[in-house]
Amino acid sequence: ERRERKRKLSKEMAEKATRELEKMQLKEKADIKYKEWLEKKRAVEAEKKKKEKEKEKERMAELQEKRIRSEKIFKEWLQNARNKPQPALNGFPNGRSTGLYVQYT
């Protein structure tokens, strides 16, 4: 009876140890899978941030180019406006009256 109990106890202990080992192995596998997933997730996030930075750089470059082009066009317009003769306003030279205007009815 003692031997039977010892054998039964040792069998239960062996089964318990086997289950614990299986649990540990399963946990290790789960940890490995989680780490792999996390690395992939971080790589995707890094790629996404990189693309967003590139888009932002492109947008800033376009804005800078547009600003430079606008300034150039404005300077050309300003230069041309200085060189143009002023129109005679209301039929008077330089927009001013040169004498008394009398209206006869």
Side-chain angles (χ1 to χ4, degrees):
E1 199 176 299
R2 278 185 183 171
R3 275 190 234 158
E4 186 66 32
R5 253 192 264 150
K6 272 188 176 181
R7 190 176 58 78
K8 206 173 189 180
L9 188 61
S10 65
K11 188 177 179 183
E12 285 176 6
M13 295 280 278
E15 286 176 358
K16 189 175 182 182
T18 305
R19 279 181 273 162
E20 288 293 322
L21 184 63
E22 287 175 357
K23 278 184 183 178
M24 285 175 50
Q25 289 174 343
L26 195 62
K27 188 174 185 213
E28 285 177 12
K29 283 182 183 179
D31 287 344
I32 291 170
K33 289 218 179 227
Y34 174 74
K35 286 179 183 176
E36 288 174 356
W37 173 82
L38 193 59
E39 285 178 21
K40 286 180 184 177
K41 180 82 170 170
R42 286 181 178 159
V44 167
E45 288 294 321
E47 186 68 27
K48 189 176 178 182
K49 283 184 181 180
K50 186 178 176 184
K51 284 182 181 179
E52 285 177 2
K53 278 188 177 183
E54 287 176 10
K55 281 185 180 181
E56 184 65 21
K57 275 186 179 181
E58 287 177 13
R59 191 177 71 80
M60 293 301 283
E62 286 175 8
L63 285 173
Q64 183 69 20
E65 187 178 317
K66 186 176 179 182
R67 190 175 296 122
I68 290 170
R69 193 169 53 241
S70 297
E71 286 177 7
K72 182 181 175 189
I73 290 171
F74 175 73
K75 285 178 183 177
E76 287 175 4
W77 173 83
L78 194 60
Q79 189 67 31
N80 289 339
R82 286 183 188 155
N83 296 336
K84 277 187 184 177
Q86 294 293 324
L89 299 176
N90 298 328
F92 299 111
N94 295 329
R96 294 188 185 120
S97 174
T98 54
L100 183 62
Y101 176 74
V102 180
Q103 182 179 8
Y104 295 101
T105 52

